[in-house]
Each structure stands twice: as C-alpha cells, then as structure tokens.
Amino acid sequence: CAVMLEGGGESVRAENAEAETASLTYVEPESLFAQCTAAIGTRANVRLLRWDFLDDRARRLALATTDAERAALALPRRQDLERDHPAAFYSLDELQALPRGNKAFAGGPLPLVAVSYCWRSAAHPDPFGQALVRFAAAVRHAQRHRAQRHNALLPKAVAVFFDWCSLDQKDAQGNRTDQERASFQGALASMQLWYAHQLTTVFMMTDPATDPASDTLVDSLSYGARGWPRSEEH
C-alpha cells in the first residue's frame, strides 16, 4: 500500500545564527521554489508535474491489458516529456500562485507532493506504470479522506515531484548534455528538501514491484533495503 507522511522534517535547533538561517531551508517555501528556477542559459534543477496530467495517465494505464500498452503509457524521462507534453509541468509562477493549506497545520503546507518509490531498473524506474497507478490511487484517497482528524484534505490542484520526470535524466546512450548535467547535479545536492521539508507531503510507495501479467515479485530487494528510499524515509 502507499503510505502518506506529511511534514517529513523539522528544523533543528540552531546553535548559532548561521545554523539557524540554514535550518530555514526546510521551513520556507522559497527553498523549494529556488530549485524550480532557471537562470538565463540554464535549466531549472527541478520541474514539478501537474496532478491532472499524472491522474489521466494513471487511469489510462489501469485500463491497459497488455505489457505493450502499459510500456507505451509509461512516463518518459523529463527531457522527452518537456518536448512532447510541455503542459504536463507547472511554471514557476503557477507554482507560487497555488493556494497553501491551513496555516494552523504545519504553517500552511504547500500543495506539493513528493514520491518515494523503488526503481525497477536504471533504464526506467517504472517501465509498466505500476508505481504511477498505485501513487495515483493513494492521491485520490487523500483527496477524499483526511489522514488525521485535524488535517485538511489534499487539494485537487497538486504539484508532484516524481524524480524520473522532475530531474534531467540520461539518454539511451547514458549521456547528459553539459546543461543537463549541471541541472541534475544541482538537484542532487538538494534532493533531501523534497522529502524533509515541513511544507511538503511525501508518499512512500513501499510495496515491491510485481510483474503486471503474473502478479509475481520482480525484485526481492525491499523498499527499506534500498539506499535512496531509505534516505528519503529518514
């Protein structure tokens, strides 16, 4: 099942003014928006996806009956998605304009969701869209039900951090351009923000991947035994 955690991190008590300023990285929304900002001649470190695009893709995947259909609907890497479906992403202005949640809860959470899941392979993390289908079902549930009595429902308009589509990935030959490499390294240096920030909501997809035809496990390595999911969880 999908596990939803809200407000995955808290600022640590600072011993001096410099440390206190640094701790604001996990409290203020500007630290997240900065990752989505592109200077002239550069690429933004991170692009966030529109929930309605992902929801539509997940619904179509759920109706697919063959691996070939599922593979054709699997999410492409960021660069290909930017080329073929540019409207799948939020602009920075649109992100900043999204309404925040109740400030009485965690200071007013952003409508921003980060996905933590196990990659199926280095070539493609979700080649048949199984993780996307499970994630979409969990988001729909969170939009209909409160996780806690005093917690607001997840809004309908949500921006999503999905690493395969949010970060610049290698091409089929295993390469990135210089701009893509700089963007990826910048994102990697601040990856913890998306999972530990007080204003984000994290969905941890802890179920192991299964073969869509036989429903048998395709990887014996659990979520907790993997490096990236383990770091995102903590």
Side-chain angles (χ1 to χ4, degrees), residues 161-177:
F161 175 84
F162 205 118
D163 57 3
W164 176 244
C165 301
S166 293
L167 276 57
D168 278 326
Q169 306 294 339
K170 294 178 180 178
D171 61 20
Q173 289 71 46
N175 300 316
R176 294 185 180 92
T177 67

Side-chain angles (χ1 to χ4, degrees), residues 22-63:
S23 74
L24 293 177
T25 300
Y26 298 93
V27 177
E28 301 299 328
E30 286 73 21
S31 58
L32 296 168
F33 295 145
Q35 286 292 303
C36 303
T37 303
I40 296 176
T42 68
R43 291 174 58 78
N45 292 345
V46 172
R47 298 293 306 277
L48 298 182
L49 295 111
R50 296 177 181 273
W51 159 244
D52 54 357
F53 169 81
L54 293 176
D55 184 38
D56 176 71
R57 183 64 64 101
R59 291 180 187 276
R60 292 161 61 195
L61 274 162
L63 296 174

Side-chain angles (χ1 to χ4, degrees), residues 166-210:
S166 293
L167 276 57
D168 278 326
Q169 306 294 339
K170 294 178 180 178
D171 61 20
Q173 289 71 46
N175 300 316
R176 294 185 180 92
T177 67
D178 289 343
Q179 280 193 353
E180 291 168 353
R181 189 177 303 108
S183 166
F184 178 78
Q185 292 298 333
L188 204 62
S190 300
M191 186 68 73
Q192 72 279 3
L193 275 177
W194 304 100
Y195 304 98
H197 201 286
Q198 181 173 307
L199 301 180
T200 63
T201 300
V202 180
F203 282 77
M204 298 188 298
M205 314 305 295
T206 58
D207 277 358
T210 59

Side-chain angles (χ1 to χ4, degrees), residues 99-122:
R100 292 175 63 171
N102 188 343
K103 289 192 175 183
F105 180 77
L110 295 167
L112 196 162
V113 166
V115 189
S116 176
Y117 65 108
C118 297
W119 277 42
R120 280 281 297 271
S121 72

